[in-house]
Amino acid sequence: MFENVVRLGCLSLNSPFIFSQGVCVTGYIHSFETLGTVDGPGIRFVVFMQGCPMRCKYCHNPDTWKLSVGKEYTAEEVAATALKYKSYINNGGVTVTGGEPLMQTDFVTELFSLLKAAGVHTALDTSGITFDINNVNKFESLLKYTDLVLLDIKHIDDQKHIALTGLSNKSVLNFARYLSDNGKDMWIRHVLVDGITDDDESLYKLKDFISGLKTVKKVEVLPYHSMGEVKYEKLGIPYQLKGAKPPEADRIANAKRILGI
């Protein structure tokens, strides 16, 4: 058991955590998934964060775009909630996703530090879109407590990435190189959208880029689906891929072949 410590009114008297910084960090959370099986190895407790600067045409969580909505939690509260499921996630861990979790880097850093102290595997599901190669201090602190990064490369071509997400992919690719150079394990994830991300030329370019990274442990092709479309209707947001269908089996197989899966 950990020693009980009270810190600036953030903790209950029977808190299982020790803190040394004396700072109460809170984060905006969209939701939790208690027994996730697709966001990292094993069975995982998944934390969906609020806030994302991108507007991906196929995004299935548009309700996470705004930052300061949802419920505000302390990192200790989220860690304590996750640890209730520790017996179930013993061969998995905790994944923080979004939204874009790097919008709330301080919160995720503190959360992961608590989880690592409790012996829990941590995974960060991110696009890396906020990474700044000229200011890496916050990222260094976070990655110290991160076991695995699930890096979503939306499109390898910068102009097509801008058309798809609204933003350049330069920070994304810089983040991938940074992870590789600093020995951080990663899974590369690529959403396959018919006519947008599934052309052979782009897939071969993506394969070449991945081949230059030293710490990629897995590459995943995630077929596009339209299950989030109903959320757009409820939010009054136009769905830009209306009518688009999931890729056919042969296109999925083709992407996997090119990417060496």
Side-chain angles (χ1 to χ4, degrees):
M1 274 302 283
F2 295 101
E3 180 182 344
N4 299 329
V5 176
V6 178
R7 184 187 59 166
L8 293 182
C10 295
L11 310 184
S12 61
L13 290 174
N14 63 348
S15 169
F17 301 113
I18 295 175
F19 295 89
S20 60
Q21 296 179 345
V23 178
C24 180
V25 179
T26 61
Y28 289 96
I29 308 294
H30 175 270
S31 58
F32 303 115
E33 183 179 355
T34 55
L35 297 174
T37 59
V38 297
D39 295 303
I43 297 174
R44 309 192 68 81
F45 184 89
V46 185
V47 182
F48 292 85
M49 305 292 296
Q50 286 290 153
C52 185
M54 293 196 294
R55 295 295 180 264
C56 301
K57 291 181 178 179
Y58 55 68
C59 179
H60 59 277
N61 288 325
D63 42 347
T64 67
W65 288 350
K66 293 181 180 180
L67 177 59
S68 299
V69 297
K71 186 174 179 180
E72 191 173 9
Y73 291 83
T74 66
E76 187 241 3
E77 287 173 328
V78 176
T81 300
L83 290 176
K84 292 177 183 179
Y85 300 89
K86 191 175 182 182
S87 62
Y88 297 97
I89 62 173
N90 193 41
N91 292 319
V94 174
T95 298
V96 175
T97 182
E100 172 48 66
L102 293 183
M103 293 280 286
Q104 302 189 66
T105 303
D106 290 343
F107 174 84
V108 181
T109 300
E110 182 162 348
L111 172 60
F112 277 8
S113 72
L114 296 173
L115 294 171
K116 291 310 301 173
V120 175
H121 181 277
T122 57
L124 177 71
D125 182 12
T126 177
S127 69
I129 195 68
T130 69
F131 180 70
D132 183 355
I133 194 64
N134 297 310
N135 186 17
V136 299
N137 290 343
K138 281 192 175 183
F139 301 98
E140 287 178 348
S141 297
L142 172 58
L143 293 175
K144 181 169 64 174
Y145 302 110
T146 303
D147 293 309
L148 175 68
V149 176
L150 311 178
L151 183 62
D152 190 357
I153 299 181
K154 313 289 185 180
H155 210 298
I156 193 64
D157 180 90
D158 192 41
Q159 290 304 310
K160 291 179 180 179
H161 191 279
I162 292 171
L164 177 62
T165 73
L167 295 174
S168 168
N169 70 4
K170 289 183 173 58
S171 60
V172 178
L173 303 186
N174 282 338
F175 190 52
R177 297 185 188 100
Y178 179 81
L179 295 173
S180 175
D181 291 343
N182 286 275
K184 185 59 61 177
D185 287 350
M186 64 180 124
W187 291 6
I188 300 296
R189 311 178 105 183
H190 182 63
V191 178
L192 199 68
V193 187
D194 184 38
I196 298 178
T197 67
D198 72 333
D199 64 284
D200 287 7
E201 180 182 2
S202 295
L203 290 170
Y204 277 115
K205 287 182 178 179
L206 178 58
K207 171 62 175 177
D208 288 343
F209 177 76
I210 294 172
S211 296
L213 303 173
K214 296 173 288 188
T215 58
V216 175
K217 302 303 180 183
K218 187 176 183 179
V219 179
E220 293 183 309
V221 168
L222 308 179
Y224 162 80
H225 62 76
S226 60
M227 288 186 289
E229 186 172 348
V230 64
K231 294 182 180 180
Y232 288 78
E233 295 175 0
K234 290 180 178 179
L235 294 169
I237 302 172
Y239 187 66
Q240 296 188 55
L241 294 184
K242 197 169 187 65
K245 296 181 179 180
E248 298 290 341
D250 64 324
R251 296 307 298 161
I252 298 173
N254 178 68
K256 290 182 175 182
R257 176 185 61 81
I258 293 173
L259 295 175
I261 302 174

